[in-house]
Amino acid sequence: MNRKTNDKYFLKDVFDQAIDFLHDHPSESVIMHLKDDAIEVKPKESRYIESNGKVQIIEYNGFNKMDEVYQKIANLSILNKEKIHEKEYNGFFYKGKDNFPVLGKVGDSTGIRGKIVLWTRNDFKYNNNDKVGTTVAIPGMGDCKRYPTDGDKCYPRISNSDEILVQDAYNIIDADDKCDLINSILSNNIDVYTPKGEIYDSQSSNVLKFYGIKNHEEVDIDSVLTLDFANIQGVFDVTSIQRKSEYINDKLSELFKVTTMFYHHWFVLDYPTDDLIYKIQHSTSIITKEKRSINNDIMIDDFLVSSGIDYYIVSTKNACLQRRTVKNQQGYEEDLIKTNYKCVDNKKNKWRVVLKGDYYNIQSSYDAKCLTYFNNRLSINYCDDNQNKQFSFKNGKICSRNSGYCLDNKFQVRPTVITSSRYEHLTCSSNYLRAGYQCCRNQYAKVEKVDDFGNWAKENGEWCGIGYERCPFEVLGYHCCSSVNPKVVKEDEYGKWGEEDGQLCGIGEMNRVVLFRIRNVKTKQCILVNNSDGNLIDLGECTTSNHSLWHVTNVDEYNNKRITSDKNGKCLYAANACTSGLEVCENVMNIKDRYMHFEFVEDKYLCVKNNRNQKYNCLSSKTLNFEETYDKNDQSFQWEIQDIDGGIITRKETDPYNPDRNHDLPKDSPDNTSTSDCPVDDYPCCSPEITEVAYTDEKGTWGIENDGWCFISGSTSTPKSSEPTTTVNTTTTTISSTVSTSSKATPTIKSGHTVYWFYHAFTNKCLYAPQEPNNPITVKPCDDTDYSKWMVLPSRKGYFYSMAQLLLNITNYC
């Protein structure tokens, strides 16, 4: 699904996204491999679309032969003269004939920087002899499922006139088998198949050339390439592709020993890590101790670590060393260091290891602060040369240099999956942003909804995401336990409870049964289980009896739903995508042409997709069957999922589960429009409890919430002063008030203004004014000079005056 268009993801979309990337990163290249994967050629194609409230059949012209398909691809790419980023579309494609073109320089027409290189698995010929891209054949290795059990079926293949050595055993079941196969290739310890089906011994000259070796001497290898596919397509157990890929990548990182060296060896990776990419980049030369020192690389327990890369520090109990931000009893945020909490994919779980003589600084990837052991406790503080911030790391034990204190359990450094820099400092999962929602400004906001996606709250009438992990207990006002194996301290009707940091926390899933009524908009009646025949549905009065109550659950990532009766536990189905009925769910799955997965199209129409024609058949209150043709303006086809009050029916009246139906991403209903006068100048309204006025202007009165300005809606309060009573912080800069103790001359501070340092937490430096006006402002180590100080009017529309320039009577320099 294309998130920009909410439509299918087409080849043109792939090209567009690659070109956008190259426009932003002109020194990079994109190699795209196209495969003719059972394309069905037919002259016409029928599609069903909705138009003017009715389903219509639209005929599209197709292709008569594959040449036309390849011509279309050429028209979209190498022949496309449309303008994109002020440049012809085809200018982003490499048009040379070399199998292994050189990178070249940016803008060089012979190189491939800033271009897409198209490889095709077979000849994509059109217009007789013209061709799309360069043919790079990838021999099939689908028969290799176990290594080394399957023997020669797992031998890598030589293709393209002996130019390319390929390992693409995509059907291997076990991740360890895949790692062993890759290791055999890296160590030149496996025989090779030729295009003619012959077998070359691993030590033959035809194989050794791919390793740059002949008679133990280096040879020219500019004309050969090894392609190693490190991904797995065939996943036959409950482990996700991501988890298997991460396991394989971690194993590969361990394989890159100190003397590892490869030539023209490319790896195809799923969910790659920064660590593995770095090691592959440096695999063209032996990484000696001297080179490690130059590259700031460190050996920790036989694992090569780069000081410029983020890592997890994971215990043998699968817990992560991490920072956990909590609110203390005074209401202030406080960072705690945890060693027994589950790993979560965010910057506060990630660290960089920096060599300090014979010891290490362990720096938080979040803000470059250092792990510290002082006064018998772990904390996080700004890095310096203090021995309290230096640790040894040997045989899995992390110990403080200053006291000899060692963290419980043994730890190992583990790579982290590469992520976009735009997600680095989020306070919630990046999944919310990808779905078009923001993180809540107040991460302690009351959770109003928990669904399969995560935890939700509302700010200024808009849904926003909370946290990194879904927690059903949040709707009760409690967090889920973060410990790897939390101890159960009590059980009640909601489930099991543990205790962390003096607070109760939920363990596992909360016991909650959510039930629905399905009500027709036209008749105001609900779908019931037939009183006489429990295998039929009926239409009748909406009540709270279990005859009219239904479980509605998601069954896949496409938001298809299963509807099960609370009366008899049977599933709603549509025979031949038409006739409705109820049956034991397991039986429905075993009967041909019975459909039991439904969609609520536009949140109004209860439909099933007919596999024969991919058309929606939707439920009618007139027939209680799923009709092939439906009029969207006919309310007999429109349904609501609600109770008497328009919310969710639950078994417990006190269940605080959010009154939003289903498990869809939250959407505001049309009648839920806000009457608020916010936002004002893009600033949100303050929460009702924020009544203290910090500033007043022509717009009205302003307060401070979540370290930012907010508008006090309808407030008539008089401000206590022209200065905020709370320091305002941004995500990257801390504004600290200063008090001058120097006896030297100081400039006059204007009425209502305050003097601040502007401190940048990540670099540990302050904003520094130039000694000459009109020169650039810089950041330097903080000091007590006037060059580090700024006079500020704490308002939404204030200026920052340099104290150093005011001392020179330059009053308009800001």
Side-chain angles (χ1 to χ4, degrees), residues 92-133:
F92 285 96
F93 290 84
Y94 172 71
K95 302 182 186 68
K97 303 300 181 184
D98 294 336
N99 284 346
F100 312 123
V102 297
L103 281 171
K105 297 179 180 179
V106 176
D108 182 357
S109 59
T110 61
I112 62 171
R113 290 193 189 274
K115 293 187 177 71
I116 299 171
V117 180
L118 292 179
W119 282 359
T120 60
R121 189 161 292 203
N122 55 285
D123 288 342
F124 278 28
K125 287 186 177 181
Y126 64 96
N127 194 22
N128 294 325
N129 290 319
D130 293 328
K131 215 167 68 162
V132 176

Side-chain angles (χ1 to χ4, degrees), residues 343-537:
C343 299
V344 180
D345 183 21
N346 67 65
K347 280 284 186 175
K348 290 192 175 182
N349 279 243
K350 299 174 184 178
W351 306 85
R352 295 188 177 189
V353 183
V354 179
L355 189 63
K356 284 287 184 179
D358 294 329
Y359 293 87
Y360 306 103
N361 279 154
I362 301 176
Q363 293 185 355
S364 171
S365 300
Y366 183 73
D367 55 12
K369 291 182 180 179
C370 276
L371 185 68
T372 306
Y373 185 76
F374 183 68
N375 281 345
N376 297 320
R377 67 186 291 266
L378 288 169
S379 61
I380 196 80
N381 293 284
Y382 294 109
C383 297
D384 53 35
D385 292 330
N386 193 305
Q387 293 185 4
N388 293 329
K389 297 163 187 173
Q390 297 177 15
F391 294 82
S392 64
F393 204 136
K394 189 173 183 180
N395 297 326
K397 296 297 290 183
I398 301 177
C399 301
S400 169
R401 175 182 182 179
N402 202 34
S403 66
Y405 162 82
C406 295
L407 277 66
D408 291 338
N409 302 313
K410 289 188 175 183
F411 291 81
Q412 63 178 347
V413 176
R414 183 177 296 172
T416 62
V417 175
I418 188 171
T419 56
S420 171
S421 58
R422 65 191 285 249
Y423 301 138
E424 285 185 352
H425 290 280
L426 292 181
T427 55
C428 71
S429 169
S430 59
N431 289 331
Y432 295 102
L433 269 73
R434 293 189 181 101
Y437 295 84
Q438 298 295 319
C439 296
C440 298
R441 289 170 58 86
N442 176 18
Q443 283 291 296
Y444 297 96
K446 180 180 181 298
V447 175
E448 296 188 39
K449 177 182 177 68
V450 175
D451 59 13
D452 294 337
F453 204 84
N455 301 339
W456 300 86
K458 272 191 175 182
E459 289 182 340
N460 300 316
E462 298 291 335
W463 287 104
C464 55
I466 299 179
Y468 292 91
E469 293 189 313
R470 172 185 173 276
C471 175
F473 288 87
E474 293 277 4
V475 295
L476 296 174
Y478 293 89
H479 297 301
C480 290
C481 296
S482 298
S483 303
V484 175
N485 293 304
K487 180 182 178 181
V488 178
V489 298
K490 76 166 190 174
E491 292 188 44
D492 60 17
E493 69 272 21
Y494 288 112
K496 297 179 180 179
W497 298 85
E499 187 173 340
E500 289 176 350
D501 302 321
Q503 300 289 329
L504 284 174
C505 55
I507 299 175
E509 283 294 313
M510 186 172 72
N511 294 332
R512 172 177 50 79
V513 179
V514 181
L515 297 170
F516 303 84
R517 284 191 315 209
I518 304 173
R519 177 176 176 267
N520 186 255
V521 173
K522 184 174 183 178
T523 66
K524 313 300 182 187
Q525 293 178 304
C526 285
I527 298 177
L528 315 172
V529 177
N530 187 288
N531 279 325
S532 303
D533 188 345
N535 294 323
L536 299 176
I537 61 173

